[in-house]
Amino acid sequence: MDIRLFDLDKDFAIIKNWITDERTNMLWCANRIQYPMSKTIFKDFLKEISDKYGDIPYVAVDDADKPAGFYAYSVNEATKEGMLKFVVVDPDKRGKGIAREMLGRVVATALADENVQAVQLNVFSVNEPARKCYQKIGFVEKNVTKEAVNFGDETWDRINMLIKC
């Protein structure tokens, strides 16, 4: 597996197909991106989060350079924390260690950056597989926002997780 910058023209159609329904969209981006997303909407969204937070989108790719995972990452210089956002793995490849390897590389890169003391991410309480994956990497719960979002008749807590470098 390699990590490279996300290429809208090359990667969008593949990643778009991973977000198969409104619930998956909510779990992935908290509905910050309209479902179903279009290339233009996603491009505008990536520009917005880049301009506002410095987020850079990446893909984890297989040997054929086909995306297997996606995430955005930025560093908050004031808090010296990296922030992982919008983590998603190809549904056909889930449970095969892709996320663990992909995020392990992010953490390893953060460890090498003297300006980063920790990396954090958020996950919804109902996304137990992702939460367990993050715990296996070494992320621990920092805090929980109870009843952070509603989806249909469900109410989800948002769990902020942290790994110290």
Side-chain angles (χ1 to χ4, degrees):
M1 169 191 302
D2 283 325
I3 305 290
R4 67 165 168 76
L5 291 173
F6 170 78
D7 180 318
L8 185 71
D9 293 326
K10 189 175 179 178
D11 303 325
F12 172 76
I14 295 168
I15 291 166
K16 178 186 186 256
N17 289 331
W18 299 347
I19 312 303
T20 56
D21 55 53
E22 290 181 19
R23 189 172 197 274
T24 301
N25 191 64
M26 176 61 104
L27 287 169
W28 175 55
C29 70
N31 281 349
R32 293 201 46 214
I33 304 167
Q34 179 182 332
Y35 178 83
M37 71 177 158
S38 70
K39 192 173 183 180
T40 301
I41 287 171
F42 197 52
K43 177 182 176 184
D44 292 347
F45 176 74
L46 292 176
K47 181 177 181 346
E48 175 190 334
I49 63 173
S50 174
D51 291 348
K52 192 170 185 178
Y53 305 108
D55 290 355
I56 301 170
Y58 295 93
V59 287
V61 295
D62 62 19
D63 293 338
D65 199 42
K66 182 179 177 192
F70 172 90
Y71 65 92
Y73 180 77
S74 61
V75 176
N76 181 324
E77 301 294 332
T79 63
K80 296 190 175 212
E81 290 182 338
M83 184 69 187
L84 269 165
K85 301 174 185 171
F86 312 110
V87 176
V88 65
V89 170
D90 178 342
D92 294 335
K93 297 180 179 170
R94 290 183 188 154
K96 298 179 181 173
I98 300 291
R100 190 172 31 235
E101 184 177 351
M102 178 176 76
L103 299 179
R105 288 184 183 211
V106 174
V107 170
T109 300
L111 283 169
D113 184 345
E114 62 188 37
N115 295 318
V116 178
Q117 296 176 351
V119 177
Q120 64 172 308
L121 55 78
N122 292 309
V123 63
F124 289 117
S125 55
V126 296
N127 196 347
E128 193 62 28
R131 187 169 156 197
K132 285 181 179 180
C133 174
Y134 302 146
Q135 288 172 330
K136 287 178 184 175
I137 295 166
F139 282 87
V140 295
E141 283 186 22
K142 181 178 173 186
N143 59 51
V144 177
T145 304
K146 294 286 189 186
E147 301 178 353
V149 299
N150 293 313
F151 181 79
D153 60 352
E154 300 176 68
T155 301
W156 303 345
D157 298 340
R158 182 179 55 240
I159 302 164
N160 179 255
M161 301 183 81
L162 180 83
I163 188 169
K164 294 190 178 194
C165 299

